[in-house]
Amino acid sequence: MLIFLIVSWRLVYNWILKRHGFDQKIVFVGVSDLARKLAAEIKEKKDSGFQVVGVVDSGAPREGGSSLPVLGNYDQLSEIVKENQVEKIVVTLQERRGVFPANELLKCRMKGVEVQEGVSFYERLTGKLLVDSLNPSWLIFSSGFKKSEIRKMIKRLSGFIISLIGLILSLPFSLFTAIAIKLDSPGPVLFKQERVGENGEIFNLLKFRSMVQDAEKEGEAVWASENDPRVSRVGRIIRKVRIDEIPQMWNVLKGDMNFIGPRPERPQFVKELEEQIPYYAQRHSIKPGITGWAQIMYPYGSSVEDAREKLHYDLYYIKNMTIFFDLVILFDTVKIILFGKGAR
């Protein structure tokens, strides 16, 4: 009987999803990359709860056109909303000066239709911030980014306790790993590497050595790659099960890092990334972490584009950082370690 009920509920649920039975109808105001990305996200997330009716635009010709149906111009917005029973308007205008349809939006709002700014809607939908669509005023006036001394103290204390317990429990694995590294290849057991921490301060990050000695003979920082030939035999194993990360808990005890936060990057890469990615420096407004929102939401990456994608999640975390959020990340990290996903 129970199996029958579960199967029946699943069939009904899938039927409702296919027909968008409970989806909230939305319309975009402004043809833009943001509108296209939002439409793609909603299409991919079958259970997002939204159905895109189309987009309302100024009527002026646009390069590249739009894959979304253009329902009309700004002056027709209230009529389009009424005709299509739209419940939410998402403003996705790239340039608002001189073209912002304030009167039409106000008319819709007074009739009870919800109006939301596009970047905020994207944040809610995806759990990340779209860097290329952000502007300083949005960051300045948006809610979040709370960093009270009490929150910092609780985060520091919880990270300290978790790391201390982790070091004690992992001691047998650490001893075995140290012996295996010494037997496998010449060189030190621990690997020190400069990383950028809070407020851009440099610190030495500790890891169990997983690469051969002198992996970077030229002294230049090199992005890691899949099946990296510099990784030793033991290194491949300890990376897969994340044992190489254990010594970083000493960094947490010392205060260089928190347990949860954006992953610290190397100074050479940071300089390059800050030049190419807007707002990249903002990820250094808090202490880095052993694990973070970007690590559980995005696969391991080793390129500028991967760094850009991870920044979307890092900024979302910094904006919405709470103890509960940290617990969610911690539990998801444990699941990833147990199932071995994303390791390199």
Side-chain angles (χ1 to χ4, degrees):
M1 183 64 179
L2 180 60
I3 295 175
F4 174 77
L5 289 173
I6 293 173
V7 172
S8 299
W9 164 245
R10 174 56 63 181
L11 290 172
V12 172
Y13 178 72
N14 289 335
W15 183 84
I16 292 172
L17 282 182
K18 287 181 180 179
R19 286 156 182 77
H20 304 284
F22 297 123
D23 286 356
Q24 189 178 33
K25 291 185 177 180
I26 65 173
V27 66
F28 298 136
V29 173
V31 173
S32 64
D33 286 339
L34 177 58
R36 285 185 279 270
K37 287 177 180 177
L38 281 169
E41 290 282 353
I42 291 171
K43 184 177 181 180
E44 184 178 343
K45 296 176 185 291
K46 303 294 184 183
D47 58 350
S48 69
F50 300 106
Q51 179 185 354
V52 180
V53 176
V55 61
V56 176
D57 200 41
S58 63
R62 303 224 175 214
E63 289 185 14
S66 173
S67 57
L68 294 168
V70 178
L71 305 174
N73 58 42
Y74 297 149
D75 294 334
Q76 300 170 308
L77 178 59
S78 57
E79 296 174 15
I80 291 168
V81 166
K82 182 180 179 180
E83 183 181 333
N84 293 278
Q85 298 180 318
V86 172
E87 299 169 80
K88 183 195 288 286
I89 298 170
V90 180
V91 180
T92 53
L93 282 165
Q94 285 182 319
E95 179 55 60
R96 301 184 182 183
R97 285 177 293 184
V99 296
F100 189 72
N103 290 334
E104 284 293 309
L105 286 170
L106 182 58
K107 190 186 297 185
C108 293
R109 189 70 189 97
M110 291 301 101
K111 290 181 179 178
V113 180
E114 185 181 356
V115 180
Q116 190 168 7
E117 200 278 329
V119 174
S120 299
F121 181 71
Y122 187 90
E123 175 190 5
R124 173 190 167 189
L125 179 70
T126 64
K128 58 184 177 180
L129 298 183
L130 194 58
V131 171
D132 292 329
S133 297
L134 292 179
N135 57 60
S137 63
W138 187 90
L139 290 170
I140 291 168
F141 292 110
S142 63
S143 61
F145 299 106
K146 296 177 181 178
K147 300 183 181 74
S148 66
E149 291 303 317
I150 293 177
R151 288 193 182 202
K152 288 181 180 179
M153 184 177 67
I154 294 174
K155 189 173 179 65
R156 168 74 177 129
L157 182 60
S158 59
F160 187 94
I161 292 172
I162 293 171
S163 296
L164 184 60
I165 294 173
L167 284 170
I168 293 171
L169 294 178
S170 63
L171 187 57
F173 299 101
S174 297
L175 291 173
F176 181 79
T177 300
I179 295 170
I181 291 172
K182 291 300 291 183
L183 292 174
D184 181 54
S185 62
V189 169
L190 291 178
F191 175 67
K192 291 184 180 180
Q193 192 176 70
E194 286 190 343
R195 298 290 175 104
V196 179
E198 186 178 22
N199 299 321
E201 295 183 3
I202 306 298
F203 70 96
N204 284 318
L205 178 135
L206 297 174
K207 296 180 78 170
F208 279 123
R209 181 173 59 83
S210 60
M211 290 190 176
V212 296
Q213 193 173 17
D214 299 325
E216 293 180 348
K217 293 181 180 179
E218 306 298 326
E220 291 186 18
V222 179
W223 290 103
S225 60
E226 197 163 0
N227 300 319
D228 198 318
R230 298 173 297 167
V231 178
S232 65
R233 290 172 299 178
V234 169
R236 295 193 187 283
I237 298 172
I238 63 175
R239 281 188 172 202
K240 189 173 181 61
V241 294
R242 300 302 205 287
I243 290 177
D244 62 320
E245 311 281 0
I246 289 175
Q248 290 174 60
M249 287 188 274
W250 282 109
N251 288 114
V252 177
L253 296 184
K254 288 170 58 183
D256 297 326
M257 301 171 64
N258 278 321
F259 202 89
I260 309 292
R263 286 293 296 155
E265 196 50 85
R266 301 175 67 175
Q268 299 94 321
F269 292 149
V270 167
K271 184 178 179 181
E272 175 188 352
L273 294 170
E274 286 182 352
E275 292 174 354
Q276 299 188 47
I277 304 175
Y279 307 109
Y280 190 82
Q282 308 312 314
R283 71 195 299 274
H284 302 129
S285 60
I286 64 172
K287 289 184 185 294
I290 296 176
T291 185
W293 185 234
Q295 276 58 54
I296 64 173
M297 295 298 292
Y298 190 80
Y300 187 94
S302 54
S303 68
V304 173
E305 279 310 307
D306 288 327
R308 184 188 298 271
E309 286 299 317
K310 286 183 178 181
L311 181 62
H312 295 164
Y313 292 105
D314 286 334
L315 289 181
Y316 178 88
Y317 171 76
I318 294 170
K319 181 176 184 291
N320 300 283
M321 186 171 55
T322 62
I323 296 301
F324 178 76
F325 196 4
D326 282 359
L327 287 174
V328 171
I329 293 171
L330 184 60
F331 288 134
D332 282 345
T333 299
V334 171
K335 287 195 298 183
I336 290 172
I337 291 173
L338 290 177
F339 292 103
K341 294 180 181 179
R344 179 176 297 173

